[in-house]
Amino acid sequence: MPFTPDSQLDLLFPAEYISNEVKSQLHEDLHIRPLASTDYKRGHLDILKVLTVVTDPGEDAWISQFNAFKAASNTYYSIVIVDKQTDRIVAVGTVFIERKFLRGLGSVGHIEDIAVDKNQQGKKLGLRIIQALTGISENSGCYKTILNCSDHNIPFYQKCGYEKKENEMAKYA
Ligand code: ACO
């Protein structure tokens, strides 16, 4: 499939929200941009399988979820890195902006669902995704950006400038 430029896509949010510095540090065969309404076809769910169990809801349900993300304005920022040779997604990540009553009606950015194609790991794509999402969070006015991860991934997030703080609690339904 030929590479599809941003101008021909229905993007989740304006591409300008992604830092030009991060864009310029990517290999010329790669492109970083917001999630697009047609990314189901570019293997979005296949990349998430690198991270956890993914049940394919089908394309129509996937598009409904995309539209729900988009309708919640200034809240969901999902980004992808696309291989221009194949027009397939090779890395994904999201920052979710939580609005609060404390800290002068402050906001917190929650980084979620970071995954890089197994064949592309170790090439700084994860780092670029985190840098781009952290920039979006900070430009949204968030006073902090946080995430949960396994012990195994702590060194990766430390390389991205994050530090260990407190504990995660979970209760699965
Ligand atoms: N242990 C130690 N160092 C690591 C690790 C690790 N597990 N992973 C990456 N690093 C280091 C790299 O060596 C590199 O260091 P350098 O700057 O000294 O060369 C630096 O961190 C940046 O690494 P990247 O090349 O950007 O890492 P990559 O592109 O492989 O992405 C990621 C890392 C996202 C963890 C990827 O390996 C992956 O998709 N793993 C499987 C899914 C996963 O665990 N996702 C994270 C879940 S947590 C969450 O979503 C909030």
Side-chain angles (χ1 to χ4, degrees):
M1 199 158 54
F3 173 65
T4 315
D6 289 1
S7 57
Q8 292 176 20
L9 295 168
D10 171 20
L11 299 174
L12 185 59
F13 61 91
E16 302 76 52
Y17 289 16
I18 299 175
S19 129
N20 284 330
E21 195 184 338
V22 173
K23 286 178 182 167
S24 69
Q25 285 168 325
L26 274 184
H27 189 277
E28 59 183 16
D29 286 346
L30 299 172
H31 178 63
I32 188 167
R33 62 161 170 77
L35 186 70
S37 60
T38 43
D39 279 341
Y40 176 89
K41 291 189 175 75
R42 296 186 182 86
H44 177 250
L45 296 180
D46 292 333
I47 299 302
L48 284 175
K49 283 179 193 158
V50 173
L51 176 63
T52 188
V53 178
V54 177
T55 309
D56 186 344
E59 186 173 9
D60 289 349
W62 187 98
I63 291 171
S64 293
Q65 186 78 318
F66 174 89
N67 289 332
F69 269 42
K70 194 162 178 173
S73 60
N74 305 326
T75 304
Y76 291 103
Y77 297 95
S78 295
I79 63 175
V80 298
I81 296 178
V82 178
D83 181 338
K84 289 187 191 169
Q85 307 286 337
T86 59
D87 208 32
R88 298 287 292 178
I89 293 170
V90 294
V92 300
T94 294
V95 64
F96 158 71
I97 310 296
E98 176 204 6
R99 300 180 70 161
K100 288 183 173 287
F101 279 102
L102 47 70
R103 296 246 184 182
L105 305 181
S107 297
V108 171
H110 297 262
I111 286 185
E112 294 282 343
D113 302 344
I114 307 300
V116 176
D117 183 290
K118 279 200 166 59
N119 297 322
Q120 300 278 352
Q121 289 178 8
K123 298 180 180 175
K124 302 257 190 286
L125 303 196
L127 174 68
R128 301 299 170 228
I129 290 274
I130 296 299
Q131 288 172 332
L133 296 176
T134 306
I136 291 169
S137 178
E138 291 177 354
N139 289 333
S140 298
C142 292
Y143 68 89
K144 68 176 177 182
T145 308
I146 58 178
L147 59 90
N148 293 325
C149 72
S150 63
D151 287 351
H152 174 75
N153 282 330
I154 288 175
F156 165 67
Y157 288 109
Q158 285 173 330
K159 291 253 163 95
C160 295
Y162 283 68
E163 59 185 35
K164 186 163 161 38
K165 192 109 166 105
E166 299 171 347
N167 300 300
E168 174 194 349
M169 306 285 283
K171 184 172 185 295
Y172 286 81

CSV table of all heavy atoms in Angstrom, one decimal, residues 114-135:
chain,number,residue,atom,x,y,z
A,114,ILE,N,1.7,1.8,25.2
A,114,ILE,CA,2.8,2.1,24.3
A,114,ILE,C,3.3,0.7,23.8
A,114,ILE,O,3.5,-0.3,24.5
A,114,ILE,CB,4.0,2.6,25.2
A,114,ILE,CG1,3.6,3.9,26.0
A,114,ILE,CG2,5.2,2.9,24.3
A,114,ILE,CD1,3.1,5.0,25.1
A,115,ALA,N,3.5,0.6,22.5
A,115,ALA,CA,3.9,-0.6,21.9
A,115,ALA,C,4.7,-0.3,20.6
A,115,ALA,O,4.3,0.5,19.8
A,115,ALA,CB,2.7,-1.6,21.6
A,116,VAL,N,5.8,-1.1,20.4
A,116,VAL,CA,6.6,-1.0,19.2
A,116,VAL,C,6.7,-2.4,18.6
A,116,VAL,O,6.9,-3.4,19.3
A,116,VAL,CB,8.0,-0.5,19.6
A,116,VAL,CG1,8.9,-0.5,18.4
A,116,VAL,CG2,7.9,0.9,20.2
A,117,ASP,N,6.5,-2.5,17.3
A,117,ASP,CA,6.6,-3.7,16.5
A,117,ASP,C,7.9,-4.5,17.0
A,117,ASP,O,9.0,-3.8,17.1
A,117,ASP,CB,6.7,-3.4,15.0
A,117,ASP,CG,6.7,-4.6,14.2
A,117,ASP,OD1,7.8,-5.3,14.1
A,117,ASP,OD2,5.7,-4.9,13.5
A,118,LYS,N,7.8,-5.8,17.1
A,118,LYS,CA,9.0,-6.5,17.6
A,118,LYS,C,10.2,-6.3,16.8
A,118,LYS,O,11.3,-6.2,17.2
A,118,LYS,CB,8.6,-8.0,17.7
A,118,LYS,CG,7.9,-8.4,18.9
A,118,LYS,CD,8.0,-9.9,19.2
A,118,LYS,CE,7.5,-10.3,20.6
A,118,LYS,NZ,6.1,-9.9,20.9
A,119,ASN,N,10.0,-6.2,15.4
A,119,ASN,CA,11.2,-6.1,14.5
A,119,ASN,C,11.8,-4.7,14.5
A,119,ASN,O,12.8,-4.4,14.0
A,119,ASN,CB,10.7,-6.3,13.1
A,119,ASN,CG,10.3,-7.8,12.9
A,119,ASN,OD1,10.8,-8.7,13.5
A,119,ASN,ND2,9.2,-7.9,12.1
A,120,GLN,N,11.1,-3.7,15.2
A,120,GLN,CA,11.5,-2.3,15.2
A,120,GLN,C,12.0,-1.9,16.6
A,120,GLN,O,12.3,-0.7,16.8
A,120,GLN,CB,10.4,-1.4,14.7
A,120,GLN,CG,9.9,-1.7,13.3
A,120,GLN,CD,10.8,-1.1,12.3
A,120,GLN,OE1,11.7,-0.3,12.6
A,120,GLN,NE2,10.5,-1.4,11.0
A,121,GLN,N,11.9,-2.8,17.6
A,121,GLN,CA,12.3,-2.4,18.9
A,121,GLN,C,13.8,-2.1,19.0
A,121,GLN,O,14.6,-2.7,18.2
A,121,GLN,CB,11.9,-3.5,19.9
A,121,GLN,CG,10.4,-3.6,20.1
A,121,GLN,CD,10.0,-4.7,21.1
A,121,GLN,OE1,10.8,-5.3,21.7
A,121,GLN,NE2,8.7,-4.9,21.1
A,122,GLY,N,14.2,-1.3,19.9
A,122,GLY,CA,15.6,-0.9,20.1
A,122,GLY,C,16.1,0.1,19.1
A,122,GLY,O,17.3,0.4,19.0
A,123,LYS,N,15.2,0.8,18.4
A,123,LYS,CA,15.6,1.8,17.4
A,123,LYS,C,15.1,3.2,17.8
A,123,LYS,O,14.9,4.0,17.0
A,123,LYS,CB,15.1,1.4,16.0
A,123,LYS,CG,15.6,0.1,15.4
A,123,LYS,CD,14.9,-0.1,14.1
A,123,LYS,CE,15.4,-1.4,13.4
A,123,LYS,NZ,14.7,-1.6,12.2
A,124,LYS,N,14.8,3.3,19.1
A,124,LYS,CA,14.4,4.6,19.6
A,124,LYS,C,13.0,5.0,19.3
A,124,LYS,O,12.6,6.2,19.5
A,124,LYS,CB,15.4,5.8,19.2
A,124,LYS,CG,16.8,5.5,19.7
A,124,LYS,CD,17.2,6.3,20.9
A,124,LYS,CE,18.7,6.3,21.2
A,124,LYS,NZ,19.1,5.1,21.8
A,125,LEU,N,12.2,4.1,18.7
A,125,LEU,CA,10.8,4.5,18.4
A,125,LEU,C,10.0,4.7,19.6
A,125,LEU,O,9.2,5.6,19.7
A,125,LEU,CB,10.2,3.5,17.5
A,125,LEU,CG,10.8,3.1,16.1
A,125,LEU,CD1,9.9,2.4,15.2
A,125,LEU,CD2,11.4,4.4,15.5
A,126,GLY,N,10.2,3.8,20.6
A,126,GLY,CA,9.5,4.0,21.9
A,126,GLY,C,9.8,5.3,22.5
A,126,GLY,O,8.9,6.0,23.0
A,127,LEU,N,11.1,5.7,22.5
A,127,LEU,CA,11.6,7.0,23.1
A,127,LEU,C,10.8,8.1,22.3
A,127,LEU,O,10.3,9.0,23.0
A,127,LEU,CB,13.1,7.1,22.9
A,127,LEU,CG,13.7,8.4,23.3
A,127,LEU,CD1,13.6,8.7,24.8
A,127,LEU,CD2,15.2,8.5,22.9
A,128,ARG,N,10.8,8.1,21.0
A,128,ARG,CA,10.1,9.2,20.3
A,128,ARG,C,8.6,9.2,20.6
A,128,ARG,O,8.1,10.4,20.7
A,128,ARG,CB,10.3,9.0,18.7
A,128,ARG,CG,11.7,8.9,18.3
A,128,ARG,CD,12.5,10.2,18.6
A,128,ARG,NE,14.0,10.0,18.3
A,128,ARG,CZ,14.9,10.3,19.1
A,128,ARG,NH1,14.7,10.9,20.3
A,128,ARG,NH2,16.2,10.1,18.8
A,129,ILE,N,8.0,8.1,20.7
A,129,ILE,CA,6.6,8.1,21.1
A,129,ILE,C,6.4,8.8,22.5
A,129,ILE,O,5.5,9.7,22.6
A,129,ILE,CB,6.0,6.6,21.2
A,129,ILE,CG1,5.9,6.1,19.7
A,129,ILE,CG2,4.7,6.6,21.9
A,129,ILE,CD1,4.7,6.4,19.0
A,130,ILE,N,7.2,8.4,23.4
A,130,ILE,CA,7.1,9.0,24.8
A,130,ILE,C,7.4,10.5,24.8
A,130,ILE,O,6.7,11.3,25.4
A,130,ILE,CB,8.0,8.3,25.8
A,130,ILE,CG1,7.6,6.8,26.0
A,130,ILE,CG2,8.0,9.0,27.2
A,130,ILE,CD1,6.2,6.6,26.5
A,131,GLN,N,8.4,10.9,24.0
A,131,GLN,CA,8.8,12.3,23.9
A,131,GLN,C,7.6,13.1,23.3
A,131,GLN,O,7.2,14.2,23.8
A,131,GLN,CB,10.0,12.5,23.0
A,131,GLN,CG,11.3,12.1,23.7
A,131,GLN,CD,12.5,12.1,22.8
A,131,GLN,OE1,12.4,11.9,21.6
A,131,GLN,NE2,13.7,12.3,23.4
A,132,ALA,N,7.0,12.5,22.2
A,132,ALA,CA,5.9,13.2,21.6
A,132,ALA,C,4.7,13.4,22.5
A,132,ALA,O,4.1,14.4,22.6
A,132,ALA,CB,5.5,12.5,20.3
A,133,LEU,N,4.3,12.3,23.2
A,133,LEU,CA,3.2,12.3,24.1
A,133,LEU,C,3.4,13.2,25.3
A,133,LEU,O,2.5,13.9,25.8
A,133,LEU,CB,2.9,10.9,24.6
A,133,LEU,CG,2.4,9.9,23.5
A,133,LEU,CD1,2.2,8.5,24.2
A,133,LEU,CD2,1.1,10.3,22.9
A,134,THR,N,4.7,13.2,25.9
A,134,THR,CA,5.0,14.1,27.0
A,134,THR,C,4.8,15.5,26.6
A,134,THR,O,4.3,16.4,27.3
A,134,THR,CB,6.4,13.8,27.5
A,134,THR,OG1,6.5,12.4,27.8
A,134,THR,CG2,6.7,14.6,28.8
A,135,GLY,N,5.3,15.8,25.3
A,135,GLY,CA,5.2,17.2,24.8
A,135,GLY,C,3.7,17.6,24.7
A,135,GLY,O,3.3,18.7,25.1
